[in-house]
């Protein structure tokens, strides 16, 4: 079943130690905000042998240690933040949480999951990647470990592995709706896209186009859109090319993340083109510290984010259910979290939160 979860702001949390797949290490410095960079790859079918091991009936009883593995790309700013906030929330609830680093490599995701299986004492594994990993997840669940894949929705997970996501469509729709309300008549805009074929980019792009259409902005012309894998420097270079090609004809920039938006802003400022209410209007997604500072300074008109706090609260709730016997290791429950909108009216509260978390970088 699917539930829609509203944004909840968590209490103040602190930075803690990161654990790699095989050893403990210090937290990596926050990298520029981005998302999974590779297009989704299909995973092969389930492990029949593991399936045979799983008892019939109500499913496999969960391991009740209250121990969680959070398997993700720790050098990605949003994933890093989400892992830390989830770890802190779990520890405050009396559980333990190991952070495992995939380095953005799906082969490392599999290696980390195999290590969790070998450890044999995890109640819950939460992981991010572009592959559903059904074989190892089936073996984990047969051994009493519940599995959740977060941030990416894959067909291979359907009715099998729990999926936790934020609506990518809503992320794109919220910022484009703001753009539709304030872009000048007959505006020319450019779109900075993420990864072609990636579910997040598909959803955000659909949201962009839908908001412009629903707001009746058929006068807006999209001059060009380009997939840049969420990279700031690539966005800066592309924007420089567009400035050369279109000059001051560009009225707006709509970006799939704040980092690319900030790259475009640097290119515009380098060409002495004003940015903000008196110049080119720029919109982003991610709502991390750098993007929020862009909103605070008036360079980015609006951003949107998927709440790390929502994922953390969902993790605590899932472990509670598993430990208390309300869920089995083989049970699945898909969750869809609401996107949050950030503009000049509420950006200060997000900045204050990042500063308290030690993520103001």
């Amino acid at each position: 079943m699917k539930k829609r979860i509203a944004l909840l702001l968590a209490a103040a949390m602190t930075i803690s130690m990161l654990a790699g797949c095989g050893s403990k290490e210090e937290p990596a410095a926050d990298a520029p905000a981005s998302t999974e960079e590779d297009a989704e790859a299909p995973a092969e079918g389930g492990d029949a042998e593991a399936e045979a091991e799983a008892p019939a009936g109500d499913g496999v009883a969960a391991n009740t240690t209250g121990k969680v593995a959070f398997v993700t790309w720790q050098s990605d700013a949003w994933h890093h933040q989400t892992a830390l906030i989830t770890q802190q929330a779990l520890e405050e609830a009396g559980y333990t949480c190991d952070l495992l680093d995939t380095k953005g490599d799906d082969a490392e995701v599999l290696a980390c999951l195999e290590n969790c299986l070998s450890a044999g004492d995890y109640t819950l594994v939460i992981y991010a990647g572009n592959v559903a990993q059904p074989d190892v997840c089936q073996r984990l669940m047969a051994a009493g470990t519940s599995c959740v894949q977060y941030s990416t929705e894959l067909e291979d997970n359907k009715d099998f592995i729990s999926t936790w996501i934020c609506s990518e469509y809503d992320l794109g729709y919220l910022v484009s709706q703001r753009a539709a309300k304030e872009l000048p008549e007959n505006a020319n805009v450019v779109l900075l896209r993420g990864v072609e074929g990636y579910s997040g980019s598909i959803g955000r792009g659909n949201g962009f186009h839908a908001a412009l259409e629903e707001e009746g902005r058929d006068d807006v012309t999209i001059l060009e859109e380009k997939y840049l894998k969420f990279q700031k420097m690539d966005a800066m270079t592309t924007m420089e090319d567009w400035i050369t090609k279109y000059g001051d004809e560009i009225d707006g920039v709509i970006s799939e993340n704040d980092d690319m938006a900030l790259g475009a802003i640097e290119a515009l400022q380098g060409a002495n083109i004003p940015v903000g209410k008196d110049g080119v209007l720029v919109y982003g997604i991610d709502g991390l510290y750098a993007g929020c500072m862009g909103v605070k300074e008036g360079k980015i008109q609006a951003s949107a984010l998927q709440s790390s706090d929502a994922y953390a609260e969902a993790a605590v709730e899932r472990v509670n259910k598993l430990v208390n016997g309300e869920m089995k290791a083989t049970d699945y429950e898909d969750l869809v979290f609401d996107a949050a909108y950030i503009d000049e009216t509420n950006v200060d509260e997000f900045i204050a939160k990042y500063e308290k978390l030690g993520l103001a970088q």
Side-chain angles (χ1 to χ4, degrees):
M1 61 182 149
K2 287 202 173 185
K3 287 203 253 179
R4 189 128 185 123
I5 306 297
L7 172 67
L8 296 172
L9 291 178
M13 301 164 188
T14 57
I15 298 294
S16 55
M17 297 286 287
L18 291 181
C21 290
S23 62
K24 298 271 185 181
E25 60 185 48
E26 292 294 331
D30 284 349
S34 64
T35 50
E36 314 283 342
E37 291 190 5
D38 297 319
E40 295 160 11
E44 297 189 2
D47 188 320
E49 181 179 345
E51 185 175 13
E53 294 173 1
D58 294 332
V60 181
N63 184 310
T64 57
T65 61
K67 184 178 177 182
V68 178
F70 200 111
V71 180
T72 196
W73 185 6
Q74 298 292 350
S75 64
D76 176 275
W78 181 78
H79 287 287
H80 174 68
Q81 168 184 295
T82 302
L84 291 173
I85 289 175
T86 300
Q87 183 185 55
Q88 186 65 38
L90 286 162
E91 290 177 351
E92 288 181 352
Y95 303 121
T96 60
C97 180
D98 295 333
L99 305 186
L100 310 183
D101 190 4
T102 68
K103 303 176 178 62
D105 183 345
D106 285 315
E108 289 290 334
V109 175
L110 179 59
C112 288
L113 295 178
E114 292 282 3
N115 286 346
C116 292
L117 180 63
S118 296
D121 60 349
Y122 286 103
T123 300
L124 173 65
V125 171
I126 305 169
Y127 73 98
N130 298 305
V131 179
Q133 308 292 356
D135 293 348
V136 67
C137 284
Q138 192 161 27
R139 286 183 281 138
L140 279 163
M141 289 187 287
T145 300
S146 179
C147 294
V148 170
Q149 183 169 27
Y150 82 100
S151 84
T152 303
E153 188 171 24
L154 299 176
E155 184 63 29
D156 287 317
N157 285 345
K158 187 173 178 59
D159 300 337
F160 174 41
I161 302 169
S162 297
T163 298
W164 295 353
I165 59 170
C166 174
S167 170
E168 301 283 0
Y169 176 92
D170 287 353
L171 290 169
Y173 186 92
L174 286 172
V175 296
S176 191
Q177 186 179 49
R178 168 70 179 261
K181 293 180 183 301
E182 60 187 6
L183 284 167
E185 187 177 358
N186 299 318
N188 294 314
V189 302
V190 292
L191 303 185
L192 297 171
R193 306 295 306 276
V195 177
E196 189 168 11
Y198 164 58
S199 63
S201 290
I202 293 170
R204 295 178 192 195
N206 288 343
F208 290 162
H209 291 281
L212 291 173
E213 181 178 344
E214 290 178 19
E215 292 294 327
R217 293 306 309 267
D218 54 4
D219 62 308
V220 173
T221 299
I222 298 174
L223 296 174
E224 288 193 40
E225 55 184 295
K226 190 170 182 179
Y227 290 94
L228 300 169
K229 297 185 177 181
F230 300 103
Q231 298 301 305
K232 179 179 180 179
M233 293 307 298
D234 290 344
M236 184 175 178
T237 300
T238 297
M239 195 70 211
E240 289 171 346
D241 292 341
W242 285 342
I243 290 169
T244 299
K245 185 174 181 178
Y246 298 109
D248 60 3
E249 294 178 28
I250 300 172
D251 299 300
V253 177
I254 303 177
S255 173
E256 284 190 15
N257 76 346
D258 292 335
D259 243 27
M260 292 191 295
L262 291 168
I265 288 168
E266 287 188 28
L268 288 162
Q269 292 179 326
N272 295 316
I273 296 175
V275 174
K277 292 183 178 179
D278 297 323
V280 178
L281 300 173
V282 181
Y283 308 85
I285 293 173
D286 270 349
L288 298 177
Y289 182 74
C292 285
M293 289 304 298
V295 173
K296 175 74 173 177
E297 295 164 1
K299 297 175 183 177
I300 296 177
Q301 301 305 297
S303 186
L305 82 159
Q306 47 183 326
S307 170
S308 298
D309 302 298
Y311 287 94
E313 294 206 4
V316 172
E317 181 179 354
R318 170 65 71 93
V319 179
N320 284 340
K321 289 180 178 180
L322 292 165
V323 169
N324 294 332
E326 298 174 46
M327 290 187 73
K328 302 290 188 182
T330 49
D331 290 344
Y332 70 92
E333 182 179 55
D334 297 334
L335 303 178
V336 181
F337 306 115
D338 286 342
Y341 175 75
I342 301 174
D343 64 10
E344 67 281 359
T345 66
N346 64 353
V347 69
D348 285 341
E349 65 186 71
F350 289 93
I351 291 173
K353 177 183 174 182
Y354 291 137
E355 290 173 348
K356 202 165 189 179
L357 286 167
L359 296 174
Q361 298 179 26

